[in-house]
Amino acid sequence: MNVRAQISTVFHLDKCIGCHTCSVACKNVWTDRPGAEYMWWNNVETKPGTGYPLLWEDQEKHRGGWVVRDGNLRPRLQGRKRALGNIFYNPKLPGLDDYYEPWTYTYDDLFNTPAGDDQPTARPISAITGKPLEIKYGPNWDDDLGGSSEYAARDPNLGALTEEERRQLFSLERMVLFYLPRICNHCLSPSCVATCPAGAIYKRGEDGIVLVSQEKCRAWRMCVSGCPYKKVYYNWMTGKSEKCILCYPRLEAGQAPACFHSCVGRIRYMGVLLFDADRITEAASSPDDQLVQAQRDIILDPFDEAVARKAQQDGVSASMMEAARASPVYSFVKTYGLGLPLHPEFRVLPTLFYVPPLLPVVSSSSKEGFQDVSQEGLFTSLDNARIPIRFFASLFSAGNESVVTDVYRKLTAVRLYERAQKVKDVKPEDVSLALEAASLTSSQAEGIYRLSTLPTMKERFVIPSMSREGVAKRKASLGSERVWKPKRRR
Amino acid sequence: MTWIKDVFDPKARRWEELYRDRWQHDKVVRSTHGVNCTGGCSWGIYVKDGIVTWELQQTDYPTIDPEIPPYEPRGCARGISSSWYIYSPLRVKYPYVRGALLDLWAKAKEKESDPVTAWASIMRDEAGRRRYQEARGKGGFRRVSWDDALDIVAASTIYTVKEHGPDRVIGFSPIPAMSMLSYASGARFLQLLGGVTLSFYDWYSDLPPASPEVWGEQTDVCESADWYKSAFIATVGSNVNMTRTPDAHFLTESRHAGSKVVVFSPDFSDVSKHADWWVPVNAGQDAAFWMAVNHVILKEFHFERKPAAFLDYLKRYTDSPFLVVLEKSKEGYTAGRLLRANQVSGYKSEENGDWKLLVYDAKAKSLAMPQGSVGFRWQERKGLWNLEMKDASDGREIDPLLTFLEDNDGILQVDVADFAADRGLKRGVPFKSVKLSGGSKALVTTVYDLLMAQFGVSRGLEGDYPKGFDDDSQPFTPAWQEKLTGIGRKTVISFAREWAETAERTGGKCMVIIGGGANQWYHTDLTYRAVIASLMLCGCVGKSGGGLAHYVGQEKVAPLASWSALAFAQDWVKPSRLQNAPSFHYVHTDQWRYEGPYSAYYSVPKESPAEHTIDVQVRAVRAGWLPFYPQFNRNPMEVFRDAENSGAKTDEEKAKWVARQLKEGKLRFAVEDPDAPENWPRLWFIWRANALLASAKGHEYFLKHYLGTHTGTVADEVAKGSTKEVTWREESPRGKIDLVVDVNFRMDTSALYSDVVLPAATWYEKSDLNTTDLHSYIHPLSPAVQPCWESRTDWDIFKAIAKRVSEMAKAHLPAPVKEIVAVPLQHDTADELAQPSVKDWAKGECEPIPGKTMPRFAVVERDYTKLYDEFVSFGPLARRDGLGAHGVHWDVSDLYDELARRRPFTFPDGRKLPSIEDAVDAANTILYLSPETNGEVAYRAFKSEEAKVGVALADLSDEGRKTSYTYDQLVEQPRRILNSPVWSGIVSGKRTYSPFTLNVERLVPWRTLTGRQQSYLDHEYFLRFGEKLPTYKPKPDAASLSELGKSDGRKGIVLNYLTPHGKWHIHSTFSDNLRMLTLSRGLEPLWLSVKDAGSIGVKDNDWVEAFNDNGVTVTRAVVSARIPDGACFLYHAPERTISVPKSPARGYQRAGGHNSPTRLRLKPTLMVGGYAQFTYSFNYWGPTGVNRDTFVVVRKLEGEIRW
């Protein structure tokens, strides 16, 4: 056992309203600079949809993550050795069409147009070339099912569905959407690290944050392809790749990352998880249908004395241990089993987990063409769900439907349990049955309810205090030294 | 993978300083966004090296109750992109004037050194005037100095006041709550001047007229935390996720806490994601669904099961037991007016007997007169205006009978109108015969019995009753509504059952969250009344977690009383000139000229005569129902002089003289001849608004008739011959307005079309106050940096204008002048009893009596040389008269003196008055004098209300009595507002604000005719138009609206044109912000269904043109399965300044904005006045600027795109 502390996160998708406040918070603080315009370290996607960059989930196209070959885990793109052979040409690198050409407008024309015979307007121009631009794609192009027949219909996860299910998803009365906010997953087994020929990407020892050293990066851009989530971006101005840094400057000050702080849906949770680093490769190599369980298995119990002793030996700080015990992420992922990794088949062991959204129910048309909403039950039942379970299994369990079904049994049981408290129109025996089917005790149901609805910021974000005393000697020179300044590589 | 190593090495990590450096900042300042948004979110503005870098939310709202989710964080993608504006290329950095005008000004100034005389010479130069008017919106701006800009503005102001009258100066700014001092700056200037402040809530079609109709309340809604307490939430035309972004979490959390959520929306809207049921009711047809819901509730619960809680609630809190007189109609009986106390011998001599209503007491088996109706509110003897179940004459306990079903004198066949099928029905209703004081008899029934008949619940009675839920031949069954709504009967039935059962189990915790998608239709009030009926029938109104939560544009200025006094300068001069904008623009932009009688699109009973809306509008002004400015066809100063010269001495005599002049036709109301040059509005101030586009229903008519520049309308003027009350001028005027002054921080459409643009401070550069009804806190805006470039705060800009006007007045208006101010009959005053019946003095039906049968005419005096001094000091009328709102008043004289001691301003005559020179002083004045922010004032207000109502209330001020907030405290932390009798909810303890709990728990009456929630509206107009009871009327269709005459539908596809509130903007603000444009599609696209787009060969992202006779808009298409067939969505509100190409349909003129295809249509019933809750108040009552009944032709853009 090798105990490692990792700052980990949960996004409760049922609470996500797709407002993109998180995206703008991040953009303002980190990527509002030339060369970084198209970087959305945090973005939000509508599902079904093709996301950003275009069809990032399709690894046939992008070659990200790991595969098990001959019983060994290998980067799908290429290993560090092969990368050297291919170093000047990466055929899988996403192009401008997969992202978009950043734009702005001729705003000045509104002030400066001389008197004429018609109204001036500010037309779009490229933020790079300044030339007029036809806007054809953007960082959130298919938001709210925009262009659904062109975009949503190509969602890679729809492959898991039957032809009939796919057709129904796009008829109005069967319509569905939910949002998928995405940041870097700060993986336990990051394939961006593995594919970097320069060794510029590393995981911070104390908290597991994955960073691209702006000193060491040599612009090979293999990480861009290597990351299956397409969360590493190349800065065309500085010639360095950049990615989500989990707002470490904020974390070090005890503040949640900007996207977490700003999340008005209150969907985000942050806390420490303890992992057994010795078992990472083993877990990442598991058969598809066991990946979720395998990752859960290497999460260690922070209340276990043995784990705590070993953690101390392995250099996990006391404040990390304390945070691990109060971690809402541990509750969601391990205690309640509600948090699932996004595309576990990428085998990178992401440390961001998603609680799937509750399911809207279908309606049906009568012979005369009138819509009727299903009459069964108080709330949505699994069988009547508008989104087939297979879709979620494709997203969150590498196709293992029982993993997703287990989660839904729990979510449904909690609602019934609370409904019984609030309205008392559910029979106690029905509540008991639902809890039993979900393998939940009533106190666990209560716990899930409280963690999902009531938590304050302090309860959602349990941030360990960071030891910064090691760099305190720099204090005298704070602000008067420029440690490093990025320069464009030409 | 052992080669993936954790890195601890500090050397390898020294580069990490890079991002730490970027994060570094110097300070965080508390502010918010004063845009027209209900968010009311407190933000931290980050400043580094003197530059605003970004913003993140403040999260220190005081906790209400740990058992409900906290209010943190609040905010949205729009708010957080706000910092982009400050240093953006869209920022208005300097004053600008259009070159064409500036040249004329320079020339005039060469000849005339006096600026007012110079301005006058430009106004007399008709060709010159036309020249700069035609240049409006077409570039040619020139940067000028503040001095020059102020000269033009002040000269025009003085000229207009002298030449035409102060009521030709108008101003528009919306929704004060989010930056109340900024609003107050312009409004205060205008009211000191005698100018006109235009309303916004009704203009935006955000006012739900059903709220005044049913509750006598503009709008009062729960804070969003109260959603959490609900057990059943139905959202109706309200896209909570998109438009109540900071609050949406309470909806999801309420769901997790066991509540059920049903979403009614024709498209799969964002909030549908949270639906247990998503019910895609056809757009604009919600009323039909809810009528059928009520049918089920009345039948299964009220008639069959009779839950005691429901029946008891109806008796106590609604008009259900009140008696209605059944009158003989052609072939039966029709429900007429409520039975009045003075009609029966027992109560004949009652004071205000016309305004006291009767019930039948089940205990005494006789008529009874419950306390609480409006007559008790305004009578001499106070203390009987309450909801105790007592007969007011002797105080005996009463038990009003809800129905005569068991105890009656027979059954009568009563008329029920079926507007959907355009036919009349007869339905049996039980009645009782009562003896009237004259000896005759009246046949009466209860409102409850009429509801049963109206909704079609037969209860075994004869008549055209449906046979069951499956009978689709009769309204209003579940089967009947299917064809209208597209929703199956099974859904209606199970919805209604679950709704009522949940209400029964939880004591009324069923809530409807309703918004623009339901409210912005012509028949909004009918939709709302159907919805509200389902809440009343199940006892949900006035319950925490229950009731109607109307959220669209409804922001609440919590410290209303002190704010209104300050904003409308009522500390110096009363009354104010407050104008309902829908009437104003309908008349002055000449949109009335483009339509015929309303009967073309408005279903009214056949016997009702077909009229033109403008005629009703004119009568409404004449009768004192609605305000209208300019008032007369002459300068009101001149009218005063003539009155004085005629020998009229007192103010009352002068008012009578005016009335006589009007009767004799020697003086005319301006509304009777709006196109005469002497009746035009002349000078328009716009601030914190986008008045020329975002809110301008009939935008192209604004351009044509107000501005006199290019226009996209090709419609014909067709009103000739169908109007009676208004003068028809053959040629409609173009360019009525002399000068448009826009105060703005961004170059939006209104700025682009204005003559003078003044640079305003942004929300991060000024001090102000912010409240909303979505939460119960008050918090400030405060400056993170000083106003950048040459910008100034709104407060300072209007101060500067006031100063320049005062200076110029010394030569032009040196002495105090008096004038006549006409104001309509006012809600929350005894005017509510003015007109028991509708009579027109102009037709000789009654005498013209000011303040009774016509407007009130007040004499006011203004000293224009003191305008500035008055602006910056809080005037003595506040001290003399006290303050108040919503009919509650309190004394503030000692508090006023305290303010004058703390921060005195020395008036020219030596008096020391409270200073409001600085916006912070104004903020502190507001905070100190209102009950919501000063506990001592709350105590006084409750004491005074106690005396009127006659029940104990003052204990509600106990908790906060010692609290008094200052601006500085709010900068430290947002604070929760205190209990106040101005509002109907209670917030003490751990309570979440929920409206009408004060009424239900403390027996304070609603401010309606019966003092109860009113489902029966017996005003003559509501009887005549067939809207006395909740009903369904067909929505106007494309043919009846006749706006496609010149727009060939065969060229594309005809679609209902909807402009719901969108995701990337708050109205038009943020729509031009690069962040939002990047996250959307670079412009505001037109959303089309897959089928509709396919039928015209349009693919996703193709350019399309949407047009009708009113105008055209060009944008790109988004083709989505989320959109229903038959409708297109253009989310409110893009700017025509951003990415709008030229339009082939209009000969390659620049295409318009989202309001180009719209045109105003006002609903006549909403114009009535002088009758209990139907009595005018600003933003409270009047027709609304509906916009969803619009159809356009959509086609793929032909040829090359041209810029």
Side-chain angles (χ1 to χ4, degrees), chain B residues 1057 1086 1104-1107 1111-1115 1130 1134 1140 1143 1151-1154 1156-1157:
Chain B
Y1057 175 76
L1086 186 74
V1104 289
E1105 200 168 19
F1107 61 100
V1112 59
T1113 179
V1114 171
T1115 185
L1130 187 68
V1140 173
S1143 156
H1154 68 288
S1156 291

Side-chain angles (χ1 to χ4, degrees), chain A residues 4 14 16 29 105 113 118-119 122 202-203 206 242 248 252 261 371-372 375 415 422 424 457, chain B residues 6-7 13 16 19-20 22 57 72 140 230 256 259 273 276 488 491 494 505 1082 1136-1137 1150:
Chain A
R4 187 159 57 168
D14 192 59
C16 183
V29 177
Y105 297 82
T113 300
D118 204 354
Q119 182 216 298
Y202 62 96
K203 248 178 126 55
E206 68 273 29
E242 292 189 61
Y248 66 80
E252 287 162 1
H261 177 104
Q371 301 298 320
D372 264 312
Q375 309 301 315
R415 277 194 86 196
K422 197 171 198 172
K424 302 181 179 62
M457 218 162 207
Chain B
D6 296 337
V7 178
R13 289 175 46 179
E16 288 178 16
Y19 290 125
R20 287 194 190 97
R22 175 150 175 120
Q57 295 103 322
E72 50 85 344
S230 186
H256 286 263
S259 73
K273 167 184 185 283
D276 286 301
T491 300
S494 41
R505 282 178 177 278
R1136 58 186 294 177
T1137 52
R1150 180 82 54 212

Side-chain angles (χ1 to χ4, degrees), chain A residues 95-257:
Chain A
L96 194 64
D97 289 348
D98 296 305
Y99 299 102
Y100 66 102
E101 186 167 350
W103 69 82
T104 181
Y105 297 82
T106 58
Y107 288 118
D108 288 340
D109 287 354
L110 301 174
F111 294 85
N112 301 332
T113 300
D117 60 359
D118 204 354
Q119 182 216 298
T121 199
R123 61 179 298 193
I125 50 171
S126 164
I128 299 167
T129 65
K131 297 207 171 99
L133 184 73
E134 277 270 298
I135 299 171
K136 289 179 180 158
Y137 199 66
N140 186 33
W141 193 252
D142 59 347
D143 188 74
D144 278 0
L145 296 173
S148 53
S149 52
E150 273 193 48
Y151 299 98
R154 284 152 70 199
D155 185 320
N157 302 291
L158 294 173
L161 273 54
T162 66
E163 195 55 38
E164 175 61 11
E165 282 171 334
R166 294 172 71 150
R167 193 187 62 73
Q168 288 186 352
L169 264 185
F170 297 101
S171 68
L172 187 63
E173 73 275 15
R174 302 277 299 204
M175 204 73 248
V176 78
L177 65 79
F178 67 97
Y179 304 103
L180 186 70
R182 303 203 301 121
I183 61 172
C184 169
N185 285 279
H186 296 280
C187 307
L188 294 178
S189 172
S191 51
C192 58
V193 176
T195 50
C196 175
I201 312 183
Y202 62 96
K203 248 178 126 55
R204 302 214 307 186
E206 68 273 29
D207 51 22
I209 294 174
V210 175
L211 293 177
V212 181
S213 164
Q214 298 294 292
E215 216 164 23
K216 282 189 168 179
C217 175
R218 291 291 174 268
W220 300 123
R221 285 170 269 178
M222 295 305 164
C223 53
V224 175
S225 292
C227 170
Y229 301 106
K230 291 290 155 287
K231 279 293 172 187
V232 194
Y233 300 82
Y234 177 68
N235 183 322
W236 54 264
M237 186 67 106
T238 62
K240 311 275 183 184
S241 286
E242 292 189 61
K243 61 176 282 300
C244 160
I245 58 172
L246 209 59
C247 281
Y248 66 80
R250 282 178 58 90
L251 287 179
E252 287 162 1
Q255 299 167 309

Side-chain angles (χ1 to χ4, degrees), chain B residues 582-856:
Chain B
S583 293
F584 186 88
H585 293 310
Y586 178 71
V587 175
H588 286 308
T589 62
D590 283 316
Q591 293 188 55
W592 61 275
R593 293 175 68 102
Y594 297 84
E595 67 171 354
Y598 54 69
S599 50
Y601 52 85
Y602 180 16
S603 301
V604 291
K606 290 195 189 72
E607 54 279 17
S608 183
E611 288 182 297
H612 197 287
T613 307
I614 191 76
D615 289 341
V616 185
Q617 171 65 46
V618 170
R619 285 208 299 271
V621 174
R622 243 174 11 216
W625 296 350
L626 293 178
F628 198 83
Y629 304 105
Q631 308 163 168
F632 308 128
N633 58 345
R634 295 172 56 202
N635 189 328
M637 295 175 175
E638 228 174 85
V639 175
F640 173 83
R641 278 197 298 273
D642 288 354
E644 189 140 85
N645 293 339
S646 79
K649 288 199 181 64
T650 64
D651 290 356
E652 201 186 326
E653 282 170 13
K654 291 190 181 82
K656 279 188 180 153
W657 180 85
V658 170
R660 240 182 354 261
Q661 292 282 300
L662 286 165
K663 188 183 178 185
E664 292 163 9
K666 292 177 186 155
L667 183 67
R668 293 189 74 196
F669 285 109
V671 70
E672 295 171 322
D673 187 6
D675 290 339
E678 63 271 22
N679 293 335
W680 299 349
R682 293 291 183 157
L683 169 56
W684 192 359
F685 288 92
I686 300 169
W687 74 107
R688 39 196 299 291
N690 194 350
L692 292 178
L693 177 67
S695 58
K697 265 65 70 125
H699 164 70
E700 298 293 342
Y701 302 95
F702 279 62
L703 299 190
K704 183 177 178 182
H705 297 292
Y706 277 171
L707 300 190
T709 185
H710 54 260
T711 178
T713 174
V714 294
D716 291 327
E717 300 182 22
V718 297
K720 188 181 181 180
S722 55
T723 65
K724 291 194 190 102
E725 308 280 6
V726 78
T727 304
W728 176 264
R729 290 177 179 256
E730 283 304 328
E731 200 175 336
S732 59
R734 297 188 69 151
K736 290 180 175 181
I737 299 204
D738 296 340
L739 189 75
V740 184
V741 180
D742 190 62
V743 175
N744 217 324
F745 68 77
R746 63 189 179 103
M747 187 53 80
D748 66 6
T749 303
S750 291
L752 194 77
Y753 278 82
S754 294
D755 301 306
V756 178
V757 184
L758 300 176
T762 67
W763 314 302
Y764 297 170
E765 299 164 338
K766 64 183 178 189
S767 298
D768 211 320
L769 293 173
N770 180 294
T771 56
T772 172
D773 42 17
L774 266 304
H775 64 59
S776 45
Y777 304 99
I778 181 164
H779 61 109
L781 292 80
S782 65
V785 292
Q786 60 156 19
C788 292
W789 289 283
E790 292 188 6
S791 69
R792 300 181 185 180
T793 66
D794 293 344
W795 193 257
D796 287 343
I797 289 174
F798 280 102
K799 256 165 61 180
I801 298 172
K803 193 155 207 173
R804 194 60 56 95
V805 167
S806 300
E807 286 159 10
M808 287 188 195
K810 283 176 188 145
H812 291 275
L813 292 158
V817 277
K818 290 191 174 181
E819 59 142 326
I820 305 278
V821 176
V823 287
L825 303 166
Q826 296 290 321
H827 184 43
D828 291 325
T829 72
D831 289 357
E832 292 180 342
L833 312 188
Q835 299 181 12
S837 59
V838 175
K839 291 201 170 70
D840 188 352
W841 54 264
K843 303 229 161 32
E845 294 163 7
C846 63
E847 276 305 303
I849 306 167
K852 177 80 181 155
T853 64
M854 69 188 319
R856 181 168 278 114

Side-chain angles (χ1 to χ4, degrees), chain B residues 982-1139:
Chain B
V982 169
W983 304 101
S984 69
I986 301 168
V987 288
S988 42
K990 291 178 175 178
R991 294 187 66 160
T992 43
Y993 186 95
S994 173
F996 307 125
T997 44
L998 192 67
N999 310 82
V1000 166
E1001 295 170 27
R1002 296 306 191 103
L1003 306 183
V1004 174
W1006 279 269
R1007 287 132 61 211
T1008 60
L1009 179 61
T1010 60
R1012 278 84 178 163
Q1013 307 179 63
Q1014 201 87 37
S1015 52
Y1016 191 76
L1017 307 180
D1018 78 340
H1019 186 278
E1020 280 173 47
Y1021 270 43
F1022 283 77
L1023 300 179
R1024 184 178 122 196
F1025 284 79
E1027 297 180 19
K1028 55 196 169 192
L1029 286 159
T1031 189
Y1032 168 85
K1033 286 191 171 183
K1035 66 173 189 175
D1037 61 14
S1040 70
L1041 293 167
S1042 59
E1043 53 196 11
L1044 294 172
K1046 293 182 171 171
S1047 308
D1048 191 348
R1050 288 168 302 183
K1051 288 188 173 162
I1053 182 170
V1054 174
L1055 298 173
N1056 191 185
Y1057 175 76
L1058 304 176
T1059 54
H1061 286 187
K1063 188 162 180 172
W1064 308 109
H1065 22 69
I1066 299 295
H1067 309 287
S1068 64
T1069 310
F1070 305 111
S1071 74
D1072 47 11
N1073 182 309
L1074 189 57
R1075 295 267 182 281
M1076 298 294 91
L1077 285 162
T1078 303
L1079 282 173
S1080 54
R1081 287 199 170 199
L1083 44 59
E1084 190 57 59
L1086 186 74
W1087 289 70
L1088 297 169
S1089 82
V1090 176
K1091 189 174 146 209
D1092 288 340
S1095 77
I1096 48 172
V1098 165
K1099 290 202 291 292
D1100 191 64
N1101 210 36
D1102 278 350
W1103 287 99
V1104 289
E1105 200 168 19
F1107 61 100
N1108 60 19
D1109 294 358
N1110 300 321
V1112 59
T1113 179
V1114 171
T1115 185
R1116 290 181 188 262
V1118 170
V1119 180
S1120 175
R1122 192 174 69 73
I1123 303 297
D1125 296 337
C1128 58
F1129 286 37
L1130 187 68
Y1131 284 98
H1132 186 83
E1135 294 284 3
R1136 58 186 294 177
T1137 52
I1138 303 292
S1139 208

